[in-house]
Amino acid sequence: MITGEIKNRVDQIWDAFWTGGITNSITILEQMTYLFFMKMLDDAQIKKRSNSKCI
């Protein structure tokens, strides 16, 4: 089970979608999955750039 800071952050994102008018749970999950995927890609690119600058 997810607890602590991660749960709070996910809840904040969920609330932002809900107050923005997106009330369908499946739509929210799809959008959150997309955002998490994009964040993972961004983090990987940043790591790759920092590793290439160290050489």
Side-chain angles (χ1 to χ4, degrees):
M1 181 173 197
I2 298 174
T3 60
E5 183 182 343
I6 294 173
K7 182 182 184 317
N8 291 338
R9 293 175 85 181
V10 169
D11 287 344
Q12 289 174 348
I13 296 168
W14 190 277
D15 289 340
F17 280 117
W18 190 266
T19 57
I22 302 175
T23 57
N24 184 342
S25 298
I26 297 298
T27 303
I28 293 173
L29 288 173
E30 288 173 345
Q31 294 301 310
M32 287 177 74
T33 302
Y34 177 73
L35 289 171
F36 293 146
F37 178 73
M38 295 302 291
K39 173 72 168 115
M40 287 174 34
L41 288 177
D42 189 46
D43 289 347
Q45 184 177 19
I46 290 169
K47 184 177 179 181
K48 187 175 181 179
R49 283 185 190 162
S50 68
N51 287 342
S52 67
K53 289 180 183 178
C54 292
I55 296 175

